[in-house]
Amino acid sequence: MSDPLKAPRGTRDILPPLSWEWQEVTRRALDSFARAGYAPIDTPLFEHTEIFVRGVGEANEVVNKEMYTFTDKGERSLTLRPEMTAPVVRAVLENRLDKGPLPVKLAYAGPMFRQERPQKGRYRQFGQVGIEAIGSANPMVDAETVALGADFLSACGISWTLLLNSIGHLGGNCRLGYLDLLIEFLKARRDELAPADRDRVDTNPLRTFDSKEAATVDVMTEAPVISDHLCDECREHFEAVKGYLDDLSVTYTLHPQLVRGLDYYTHTAFEFTSDALGAQSTVLGGGRYDGLSEALGGGPLPGIGFASGIDRVLLAGNVGDGGGPAVTAYVVARGQRARREALRLAFELRRAGIGADLDLLGRGMKGQMKDADRSGARWAVILEDEALDTEATTLRDLAAGEQTTVKLHEIAERVCR
Ligand code: HAM
């Protein structure tokens, strides 16, 4: 029996003070992406299941094991989004943004849903911030994307390692040719693979590189790698990306086994890891997905992007609360008239853009002063019935412990100085 007073397994409440940090990560991400020309996008939390089956891949674990899929009252199969790239490409195609100026640069922040086994840094509902640049196959976009990821993580106080690879394109002289070699290798070694991974040889051979099973990991160290079998064009593309990253002083480690967990990737694939995290060490991941639009039923439309897990950024980084509660003045009242005036004054200050709070429990003076300290306000404005006739109030500097008498109508100007 589930306990109705407990959040479902793998989910959690983001409470203050963590919620301030959460908000700060989101703000920092969207601000820095906006400075690079990425406009915010929001898409529905659920999509037609087909979007993910076609986009992420039918034989992909996220799709066949981890999706929250349900049938609605109209007998439609819908799925809580496990990721944002397929929905963003769907939105671009549906709204014909690809017919406007390219690349379409979009940024997002929001919850994703995957029914994974919960552990530190891995939740069933988790937050992502990310970007997608759609409509350019130029390797400069790859470098821009990777470098924006690097700068975002650095701005969050994370010391990261960037793992970089190219997984080529779906051509016979490139990834498809390589897959034949890989399948041949895996078939010859099938008995040595962990039993759980043997089916992948037929369903999704590339995913054997993602296995955490010791036996499989051992075998895969000897497997042929895609980076040795790229076509000339893909190799040149990758060389250009690396060159631009060098120009931007973004250091990377080439990782020929990196294939990423979603099936839409082509060309550049990358992950940022942090030692501050445990087993779930990937704090940001992304890559190019030049075939995704066509897989969804659109025309050819190259794209690249990344997403970073907010939960993991908070675990690995040092973001701060962005100032936390934004209360500048706390209005304290003694007497009935003063209490009424306190509510009016709090709103006068708020409407003037000044953070203000007041007692809403009918506390005595001592309790109100204590609450003023708790609120983080710099000032306490003390109103008393007797003094109101002359508009006199006491303005107390809570940090310095000094106070002066100030006219009621001068408060807003005094506290925002
Ligand atoms: P992903 O690697 O599946 O890629 O997820 C990106 C990031 O989301 C991960 O590196 C991790 O930080 C976070 N994340 C994933 N699953 C969980 C979880 N269960 N709990 C907590 N955090 C998690 C994508 O989602 C792609 N859509 C990224 C992308 C954008 N590729 C191109 N454009």
Side-chain angles (χ1 to χ4, degrees), residues 4 27 33 185 200 286 302 310 313 370-371 379 385:
R27 192 189 59 73
F33 303 155
F185 168 87
R200 297 194 196 200
I310 301 176
V313 169
K370 222 167 144 186
D371 201 41
W379 306 99
D385 272 0

Side-chain angles (χ1 to χ4, degrees), residues 283-329:
V283 70
L284 185 153
R288 196 166 257 295
Y289 44 84
D290 289 353
L292 177 56
S293 162
E294 285 155 290
L296 295 181
L301 188 65
I304 180 164
F306 69 69
S308 177
I310 301 176
D311 306 80
R312 293 186 194 176
V313 169
L314 290 177
L315 280 170
N318 178 14
V319 181
D321 59 8
V327 174
T328 304

Side-chain angles (χ1 to χ4, degrees), residues 144-225:
E144 169 171 285
T145 306
V146 174
L148 283 172
D151 285 2
F152 161 66
L153 294 179
S154 296
C156 292
I158 294 175
S159 56
W160 45 261
T161 301
L162 164 59
L163 308 175
L164 188 66
N165 195 20
S166 171
I167 55 172
H169 82 289
L170 283 177
N173 60 344
C174 199
R175 178 149 18 122
L176 291 184
Y178 159 76
L179 278 177
D180 288 341
L181 289 176
L182 179 65
I183 292 167
E184 203 179 306
F185 168 87
L186 290 171
K187 280 191 170 154
R189 309 283 296 266
R190 195 194 290 259
D191 294 346
E192 295 168 59
L193 297 174
D197 291 322
R198 289 180 194 159
D199 281 353
R200 297 194 196 200
V201 179
D202 306 308
T203 57
N204 205 339
L206 217 49
R207 287 279 88 72
T208 38
F209 282 109
D210 288 338
S211 175
K212 302 274 183 290
E213 304 279 343
T216 307
V217 173
D218 257 8
V219 174
M220 296 316 284
T221 55
E222 291 167 31
V225 289

Side-chain angles (χ1 to χ4, degrees), residues 62 82-85 108 114 116 121-128 131-132 260-262 264-265 271-272 282-289 304-312:
V62 171
E83 63 101 48
M84 267 300 263
T85 309
Y108 50 83
R114 295 183 195 174
E116 295 188 83
R122 188 161 74 191
Y123 301 94
R124 291 183 170 178
Q125 174 174 334
F126 56 97
Q128 273 190 352
I131 56 171
E132 311 294 344
R260 302 271 304 130
L262 308 161
Y264 46 60
Y265 289 112
E271 284 185 358
F272 288 79
T282 308
V283 70
L284 185 153
R288 196 166 257 295
Y289 44 84
I304 180 164
F306 69 69
S308 177
I310 301 176
D311 306 80
R312 293 186 194 176

